[in-house]
């Protein structure tokens, strides 16, 4: 197991008029090598939850374990935890601050006490892993496009060689091509390294296409936690909390309503194509 949460609660501004119970008795496990999608409407607790996974935010009550060790134990090395559980924020500007991209990506491994050669090798490898073009290595990160900034921010975390990579809305604001490029690169990295990935996204299509497990948050609690096919089978319940199934799922339901013998628990275009061809006898 990588990360285990037991009865985690988090309250913003406790004891004040602004008190908000952001996480409510959350218990779940994130296994090694999994690709997990985390979804939920705005204010459901998604971002608060992922900020607990590397100790950025401390639970009001409950326990979080990383490889069996309680991260709230006295003397626990939070700095080491954050090098092993990497978090990429929704807005890359919150993570980029150095004079050029390469120096920025070097920052994390440099603080691990590595030699200059090892630091630079890690930075170069991380930038290659995210498909960042070499001609922009020494450009200011603030002169980059939105997609390039996101690649640079992800590379900065990958250079630490984490065991778990958490991505909070990594494609927000990108055009379809930029979104696909980023997510395809992450999927490729996942296949090649076996890293655990937690993807927070509002796009049901992206979640259905890439992940093998979905956790649905609603009002601070875990509403569903299962494989995509089963989670998106709860269409009415998801719609009731401001979510939806992928568009292709609705299309298959419409075809079924019109009399075509297709399964409706379809979540990707590839699955839909197979189902339709099968129903047509091809």
């Amino acid at each position: 197991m990588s990360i285990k949460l037991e009865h985690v609660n988090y309250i913003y501004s406790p004891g004040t008029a602004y008190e908000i119970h952001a996480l409510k008795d959350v218990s779940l496990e994130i296994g090694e090598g999994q690709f997990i999608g985390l979804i939920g409407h705005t204010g459901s607790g998604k971002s608060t939850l992922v900020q607990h996974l590397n100790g950025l935010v401390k639970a009001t009550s409950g326990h979080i374990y990383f490889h069996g060790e309680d991260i709230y134990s006295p003397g626990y090395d939070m700095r080491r935890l954050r090098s092993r559980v990497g978090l990429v924020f929704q807005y890359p500007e919150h993570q980029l601050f150095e004079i050029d991209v390469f120096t920025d990506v070097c920052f994390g491994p440099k603080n691990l006490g590595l030699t200059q050669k090892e630091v630079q090798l890690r930075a170069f490898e991380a930038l290659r892993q995210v498909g960042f073009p070499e001609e922009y290595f020494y450009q200011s990160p603030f002169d980059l496009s939105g997609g390039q900034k996101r690649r640079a921010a992800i590379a900065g975390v990958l250079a630490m060689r984490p065991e778990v990579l958490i991505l909070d809305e990594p494609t927000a604001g990108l055009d379809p091509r930029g979104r696909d490029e980023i997510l395809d690169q992450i999927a490729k990295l996942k296949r090649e390294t076996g890293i655990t990935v937690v993807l927070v996204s509002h796009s049901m299509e992206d979640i259905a296409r890439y992940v093998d497990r979905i956790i649905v948050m609603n009002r601070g609690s875990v509403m569903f936690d299962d494989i995509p096919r089963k989670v998106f089978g709860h269409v009415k319940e998801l719609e009731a909390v401001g979510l939806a199934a992928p568009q292709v799922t609705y299309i298959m339901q419409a075809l079924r309503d019109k009399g075509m013998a297709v399964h409706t628990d379809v979540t990707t275009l590839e699955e839909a194509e197979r189902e339709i061809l099968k129903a047509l006898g091809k």
Side-chain angles (χ1 to χ4, degrees):
M1 117 185 76
S2 289
I3 303 173
K4 183 177 182 180
L5 286 72
E6 289 187 349
H7 307 293
V8 170
N9 291 274
Y10 184 73
I11 301 173
Y12 285 103
S13 306
T16 73
Y18 303 101
E19 179 175 303
I20 298 174
H21 205 154
L23 294 180
K24 303 174 184 177
D25 196 35
V26 174
S27 295
L28 56 85
E29 293 185 21
I30 296 173
E32 294 181 39
Q34 290 188 330
F35 199 150
I36 296 173
L38 183 60
I39 64 175
H41 58 81
T42 301
S44 63
K46 304 186 304 295
S47 293
T48 301
L49 175 61
V50 296
Q51 289 173 26
H52 277 72
L53 301 183
N54 73 344
L56 193 62
V57 173
K58 184 176 181 180
T60 304
S61 63
H63 296 275
I64 298 177
Y65 300 90
F66 182 66
H67 290 317
E69 292 185 72
D70 191 335
I71 70 170
Y72 299 142
S73 297
Y76 187 85
D77 191 348
M78 282 290 186
R79 183 177 176 182
R80 184 164 180 262
L81 173 68
R82 289 168 190 150
S83 71
R84 300 171 73 187
V85 182
L87 172 61
V88 181
F89 293 102
Q90 179 175 351
Y91 302 104
E93 293 83 359
H94 294 173
Q95 290 181 242
L96 302 171
F97 58 90
E98 287 284 6
I99 58 172
D100 61 62
V101 173
F102 193 78
T103 305
D104 201 289
V105 177
C106 284
F107 180 82
K110 183 178 179 181
N111 282 277
L112 294 177
L114 303 173
T115 65
Q116 183 178 2
K117 181 179 179 181
E118 178 63 20
V119 167
Q120 293 178 341
L121 284 172
R122 283 197 182 197
F124 183 75
E125 179 186 47
L127 286 164
R128 286 185 60 188
Q129 284 177 324
V130 299
F132 193 90
E134 288 188 40
E135 58 265 31
Y136 297 130
F137 275 21
Y138 298 101
Q139 188 165 327
S140 168
F142 302 104
D143 293 335
L144 303 175
S145 68
Q148 290 169 342
K149 285 179 182 178
R150 280 177 170 78
R151 290 175 192 267
I154 294 170
V157 172
L158 289 178
M160 304 283 283
R161 294 188 180 168
E163 298 171 40
V164 182
L165 177 64
I166 304 167
L167 301 148
D168 192 354
E169 296 284 358
T171 62
L174 298 183
D175 59 34
R177 180 180 176 182
R179 183 185 69 232
D180 290 347
E181 286 178 351
I182 291 284
L183 293 176
D184 284 347
Q185 207 72 41
I186 292 167
K188 181 173 181 283
L189 175 72
K190 168 74 178 65
R191 290 193 302 271
E192 292 177 347
T193 67
I195 192 173
T196 302
V197 178
V198 178
L199 173 65
V200 181
S201 178
H202 278 97
S203 171
M204 299 303 105
E205 280 69 26
D206 290 344
I207 290 292
R209 179 179 174 187
Y210 292 97
V211 310
D212 47 44
R213 173 186 169 195
I214 297 175
I215 298 171
V216 182
M217 296 295 296
N218 179 45
R219 296 183 179 180
S221 299
V222 176
M223 182 177 181
F224 297 116
D225 181 358
D226 214 323
I227 61 174
R229 186 183 300 274
K230 290 190 176 181
V231 169
F232 288 131
H234 299 281
V235 176
K236 298 301 181 184
E237 294 95 324
L238 291 173
E239 290 177 340
V241 297
L243 298 174
Q247 287 297 315
V248 70
T249 303
Y250 291 103
I251 292 171
M252 298 304 285
Q253 289 178 338
L255 291 175
R256 182 69 176 265
D257 292 342
K258 293 293 184 179
M260 183 175 282
V262 293
H263 290 291
T264 58
D265 59 347
V266 168
T267 60
T268 68
L269 288 173
E270 292 77 13
E271 291 174 339
E273 180 183 18
R274 289 194 296 270
E275 272 297 306
I276 293 171
L277 290 175
K278 180 180 176 182
L280 294 174
K282 296 183 179 180

